[in-house]
């Protein structure tokens, strides 16, 4: 019986040891080198977490992105409308300038035609005047030479 008690006592003792083992917190022994690595890892983890928190402030939510895109669309539409207005204004100014240039060109063309006609008429009149003057001058030269020749003959005859 004693062996039976011993077995029962051993069983009871084993159960209580297992119960104590379950309640015991595990412990890890860390040397200095491992401890430095763990601290370095924790520091780096904190730095990464700080960077993530800073980056999180910069990130937009979906609704923020939608608002931003809507604002950009409104700005784009405004710029597009302004460009169309400027294009229309420029087209009108170009048309007006072109019309003005065409009318001025027609006026200048008419003036050039009139000036050309006047120049041609004056040139023709000048040519006629020149021709008449040349004829008169030629007649005057011929007459004066004839008179001189006759006088010269008369003088020659008188001197003989």
């Amino acid at each position: 019986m004693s062996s039976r008690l011993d077995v029962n006592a051993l069983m009871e003792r084993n159960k209580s040891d297992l119960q104590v083992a379950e309640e015991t917190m595990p412990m890890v022994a860390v040397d200095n080198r491992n401890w430095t690595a763990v601290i370095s890892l924790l520091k780096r983890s904190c730095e990464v977490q700080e960077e993530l928190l800073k980056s999180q402030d910069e990130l937009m939510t979906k609704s923020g992105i939608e608002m931003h895109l809507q604002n950009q669309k409104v700005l784009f539409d405004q710029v597009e409308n302004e460009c169309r207005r400027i294009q229309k204004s420029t087209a009108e100014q170009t048309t007006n300038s072109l019309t003005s240039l065409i009318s001025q060109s027609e006026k200048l063309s008419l003036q050039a035609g009139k000036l050309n006609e006047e120049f041609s008429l004056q040139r023709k009149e000048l040519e006629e005047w020149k021709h008449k003057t040349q004829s008169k001058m030629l007649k005057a030269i011929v007459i004066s030479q004839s008179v001189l020749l006759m006088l010269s003959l008369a003088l020659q005859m008188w001197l003989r």
Side-chain angles (χ1 to χ4, degrees):
M1 281 219 188
S2 157
S3 72
R4 203 154 190 357
L5 281 176
D6 287 335
V7 171
N8 282 339
L10 283 174
M11 290 283 275
E12 285 293 320
R13 198 166 147 201
N14 188 24
K15 279 184 185 179
S16 70
D17 286 344
L18 283 174
Q19 205 172 26
V20 170
E22 283 179 1
E23 293 173 2
T24 304
M25 296 292 280
M27 187 170 113
V28 176
V30 179
D31 64 1
N32 191 28
R33 189 180 60 188
N34 289 343
W35 185 248
T36 305
V38 167
I39 290 173
S40 170
L41 185 63
L42 287 174
K43 281 183 182 178
R44 181 65 188 137
S45 175
C46 288
E47 290 171 359
V48 168
Q49 191 172 13
E50 286 176 5
E51 289 175 14
L52 286 173
L53 287 174
K54 287 179 185 175
S55 297
Q56 185 180 10
D57 292 339
E58 296 173 5
L59 293 176
M60 289 188 202
T61 62
K62 182 180 178 184
S63 62
I65 290 173
E66 287 173 350
M67 276 180 49
H68 178 73
L69 288 175
Q70 186 63 30
N71 290 341
Q72 292 299 317
K73 185 181 181 305
V74 168
L75 288 174
F76 176 77
D77 290 342
Q78 289 173 349
V79 169
E80 183 180 23
N81 290 337
E82 183 66 18
C83 287
R84 285 187 178 156
R85 186 191 65 74
I86 290 171
Q87 183 182 21
K88 185 179 179 182
S89 172
T90 303
E92 289 173 0
Q93 288 176 355
T94 303
T95 303
N96 293 341
S97 296
L98 187 58
T99 304
S100 174
L101 284 173
I102 288 171
S103 70
Q104 287 179 358
S105 173
E106 289 172 352
K107 287 178 185 176
L108 288 174
S109 179
L110 289 173
Q111 287 177 352
K114 287 179 184 177
L115 287 174
N116 191 24
E117 286 177 25
E118 287 178 20
F119 177 75
S120 295
L121 184 62
Q122 287 179 359
R123 186 170 170 232
K124 195 181 263 187
E125 289 174 358
L126 184 62
E127 286 291 325
E128 289 174 7
W129 178 81
K130 182 178 151 189
H131 184 66
K132 286 178 186 176
T133 306
Q134 282 178 345
S135 296
K136 287 179 185 177
M137 292 293 274
L138 186 61
K139 286 179 187 176
I141 291 172
V142 167
I143 290 172
S144 66
Q145 288 295 323
S146 298
V147 168
L148 281 175
L149 189 62
M150 287 181 171
L151 285 173
S152 175
L153 278 171
L155 184 61
Q156 287 274 334
M157 290 174 92
W158 184 67
L159 286 174
R160 274 193 189 183

